């Protein structure tokens, strides 16, 4: 895949009313757009699979952001793909984006949102899932999103389920979304293959970082998906945001992003920056995305040590006598201790229907995590957040 460049900061200044991404998003009006000479502020763009949409390699994961001024700074810097979800901040995340983009040229931004569903599917799945996307559209103040993901799938049968496929196709046919996708936290290459086989998914949002234990298999599956025309968007590129398992030392975000971008099949990454300093750090990387020898050496030093990123391999479930959803609990731990986002941690745990006396039946933990996680200690450290009132959470 050939990487091109575009300078969107000057583009915004010169063509605020014409729609700055009209030359990038198929179907947008191109009349009257000025020609812009690239300079040191340019951000490379890549094509999002068969959608034909060209996106900057840097996008914004809006999950943690609650300040519209940070969204404005990202938008004015040349970022125009914003990724949210139905459940983020109890819906307030979508509402914030809806207010921010009200009145702005629709072709000047590319919005993705996501929605979860219970599996096995309930009898009212179709109706409830349609209500979900309708509510998201209402919050976003939009008639159509650019991309809708079935969110956080971790089983092949979920991805290929006939009822799931049918309702997703209906969303697209009804004009509620331009493109369809799935998001997968689990590091399972077979899920990428399932997305290709299902035939309807235009994009896959996947965890992709230098710590993956099955990196070779994952990259082979990424290549197969790209060959089939599926667009690939990377999340969890920063392995939890810290170098250490305790969440005390911030990771080098630039090195992590550059590592992900070296794979030409990755169209864009969606780091969850929530302040100006984090945005600036990501922009520096995007404007000079070549992975240096120093970056490689730095990341190599981290490969063998325990960090906050759970591989989501699921081997712990079989070892646990209670068959607890340990991968999801570890993800909640990462949100609190890595992202410093305890509210999202509580939301994640709340979806798991855990009992108040979790782990009380075991004197010693029998789980031996392949990544070296001290599972029982992490569970003990994170589950109390379920009892903390929301107003005291970050």
């Amino acid at each position: 895949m050939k990487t091109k460049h575009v300078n969107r900061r000057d583009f915004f200044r010169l063509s605020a009313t014409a729609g700055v991404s009209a030359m990038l998003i198929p179907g947008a009006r191109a009349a009257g757009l000025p020609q812009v000479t690239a300079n040191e502020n340019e951000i490379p763009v890549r094509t999002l699979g068969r959608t034909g949409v060209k996106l900057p390699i840097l996008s914004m994961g809006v999950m943690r952001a609650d300040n519209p001024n940070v969204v404005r700074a990202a938008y004015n810097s040349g970022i125009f793909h914003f990724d949210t979800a139905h459940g983020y901040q109890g819906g307030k995340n979508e509402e914030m984006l809806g207010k921010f983009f009200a009145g702005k040229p629709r072709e000047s931004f590319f919005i993705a949102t996501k929605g979860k569903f219970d599996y096995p599917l309930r009898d009212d799945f179709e109706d409830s899932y349609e209500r979900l996307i309708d509510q998201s559209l209402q919050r976003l103040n939009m008639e159509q999103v650019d991309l809708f993901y079935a969110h956080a799938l971790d089983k092949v049968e979920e991805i290929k389920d006939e009822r799931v496929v049918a309702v997703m196709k209906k969303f697209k046919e009804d004009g509620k979304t331009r493109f369809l996708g799935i998001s997968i936290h689990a590091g399972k290459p077979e899920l990428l293959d399932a997305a290709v086989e299902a035939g309807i998914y235009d994009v896959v949002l996947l965890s992709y970082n230098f710590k993956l234990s099955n990196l070779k298999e994952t990259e082979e599956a990424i290549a197969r998906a790209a060959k089939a025309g599926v667009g690939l968007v990377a999340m969890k590129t920063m392995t939890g945001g810290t170098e250490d398992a305790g969440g005390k030392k911030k990771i080098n975000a630039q090195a992590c992003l550059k590592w992900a971008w070296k794979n030409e099949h990755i169209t864009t990454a969606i780091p969850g920056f929530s302040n100006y300093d984090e945005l600036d750090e990501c922009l520096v990387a995007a404007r000079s995305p070549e992975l240096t020898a120093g970056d490689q050496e730095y990341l190599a030093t981290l490969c063998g040590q325990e960090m906050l990123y759970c591989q989501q391999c699921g081997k712990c479930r079989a070892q646990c006598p209670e068959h607890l959803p340990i991968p999801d609990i570890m993800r909640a731990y990462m949100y609190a201790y890595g992202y410093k986002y305890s509210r999202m941690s509580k939301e994640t745990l709340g979806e798991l229907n855990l009992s108040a006396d979790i782990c009380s039946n075991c004197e010693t933990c029998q789980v031996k995590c392949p990544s070296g996680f001290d599972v029982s200690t992490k569970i003990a450290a994170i589950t109390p957040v379920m009892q903390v009132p929301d107003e005291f959470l970050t």
Side-chain angles (χ1 to χ4, degrees):
M1 180 187 300
K2 186 176 181 180
T3 299
K4 299 181 180 179
H5 295 75
V6 63
N7 173 13
R8 297 266 331 290
R9 174 172 292 176
D10 289 342
F11 213 88
F12 268 97
R13 188 182 73 250
L14 295 172
S15 186
T17 59
V20 293
S21 63
M23 72 171 186
L24 300 174
I25 300 179
R29 294 185 298 274
L33 293 180
Q35 297 298 314
V36 179
T37 301
N39 61 28
E40 67 276 7
N41 287 324
E42 64 188 12
I43 299 176
V45 299
R46 295 177 179 176
T47 302
L48 186 64
R50 59 172 171 255
T51 71
V53 174
K54 297 183 186 300
L55 296 177
I57 59 173
L58 177 64
S59 299
M60 181 177 183
V62 194
M63 179 181 75
R64 292 188 299 139
D66 56 7
N67 183 351
N69 290 322
V70 177
V71 178
R72 178 177 292 105
Y75 182 71
N76 289 340
S77 71
I79 294 170
F80 60 87
H81 169 32
F82 297 84
D83 178 279
T84 183
H86 182 85
Y88 290 168
Q89 300 175 19
K92 293 181 180 179
N93 202 261
E94 289 180 326
E95 291 174 355
M96 177 186 69
L97 288 181
K99 291 176 182 177
F100 175 77
F101 284 111
K104 292 180 174 59
R106 183 60 184 88
E107 65 268 25
S108 73
F109 54 90
F110 186 95
I111 294 291
T113 194
K114 306 182 284 291
K116 291 183 179 180
F117 55 79
D118 294 325
Y119 202 84
L121 300 177
R122 297 179 179 178
D123 292 342
D124 67 344
F125 161 68
E126 288 82 1
D127 290 339
S128 63
Y129 207 42
E130 186 150 19
R131 286 195 298 271
L132 181 149
I133 192 173
D134 287 344
Q135 186 177 27
S136 286
L137 289 169
Q138 182 179 21
R139 291 169 177 168
L140 289 164
N141 193 29
M142 299 172 190
E143 295 182 356
Q144 181 187 67
V145 290
D146 296 289
L147 175 56
F148 180 78
Y149 294 105
H151 191 23
L153 306 189
D154 64 359
K155 300 180 181 66
V156 168
E157 53 265 36
E158 290 178 310
I159 296 170
K160 300 172 71 173
D161 189 287
E162 292 181 357
R163 292 174 66 191
V164 173
V165 169
V167 77
M168 292 288 281
K169 288 175 66 175
K170 184 176 185 296
F171 291 167
K172 190 172 183 178
E173 291 166 356
D174 289 348
K176 296 181 180 183
T177 181
R178 293 174 64 198
F179 306 113
L180 299 172
I182 60 169
S183 72
I184 51 177
H185 294 282
K188 301 176 181 178
E190 61 266 28
L191 300 182
L192 281 164
D193 292 331
V196 172
E197 292 165 8
I200 68 160
Y201 301 111
D202 305 298
V203 182
V204 173
L205 171 62
L206 74 157
S207 298
Y208 181 65
N209 58 63
F210 70 96
K211 284 285 287 183
L212 290 177
S213 59
N214 59 350
L215 182 59
K216 180 177 181 294
E217 294 82 0
T218 297
E219 293 194 327
E220 289 172 348
I222 286 173
R224 290 192 294 271
K227 185 177 181 180
V230 175
L232 287 308
V233 178
M235 64 175 170
K236 302 291 185 291
T237 54
M238 298 177 196
T239 66
T242 66
E243 293 184 4
D244 58 314
K248 296 178 181 178
K249 188 175 181 181
K250 190 174 181 293
I251 202 165
N252 183 331
Q254 294 187 39
C256 293
L257 285 170
K258 291 177 181 181
W259 181 92
W261 290 327
K262 72 179 176 59
N263 187 331
E264 64 177 8
H265 299 309
I266 299 296
T267 298
T268 189
I270 57 166
F273 50 81
S274 58
N275 58 57
Y276 301 116
D277 289 342
E278 292 174 350
L279 167 60
D280 286 345
E281 189 172 9
C282 293
L283 285 171
V284 169
R287 290 168 180 154
S288 183
E290 296 78 16
L291 188 69
T292 67
D295 295 330
Q296 292 175 320
E297 291 174 6
Y298 165 76
L299 295 175
T301 64
L302 302 178
C303 284
Q305 67 185 52
E306 181 188 351
M307 296 170 66
L308 286 177
Y309 177 70
C310 171
Q311 300 282 341
Q312 303 285 305
C313 66
K315 294 179 180 178
C316 49
R317 285 178 178 267
Q319 299 177 43
C320 176
E322 302 296 325
H323 302 292
L324 293 174
I326 295 173
D328 296 308
I329 300 173
M330 294 301 100
R331 187 155 53 90
Y333 184 95
M334 178 185 66
Y335 289 147
Y337 289 92
Y339 296 173
K340 314 303 180 189
Y341 189 17
S342 52
R343 188 180 298 271
M344 186 64 184
S345 178
K346 182 179 180 180
E347 290 176 6
T348 301
L349 293 171
E351 295 171 352
L352 304 179
N353 298 316
L354 301 173
S355 65
D357 57 349
I358 184 174
C359 294
S360 61
N361 293 331
C362 299
E363 293 185 5
T364 59
C365 185
Q366 299 180 33
V367 175
K368 304 298 181 184
C369 172
S371 295
F373 280 19
D374 185 340
V375 170
S376 61
T377 298
K378 281 179 162 52
I379 290 177
I382 194 56
T383 48
V385 76
M386 293 188 292
Q387 310 304 321
V388 180
D390 289 349
E391 56 265 30
F392 294 107
L393 298 174
T394 55

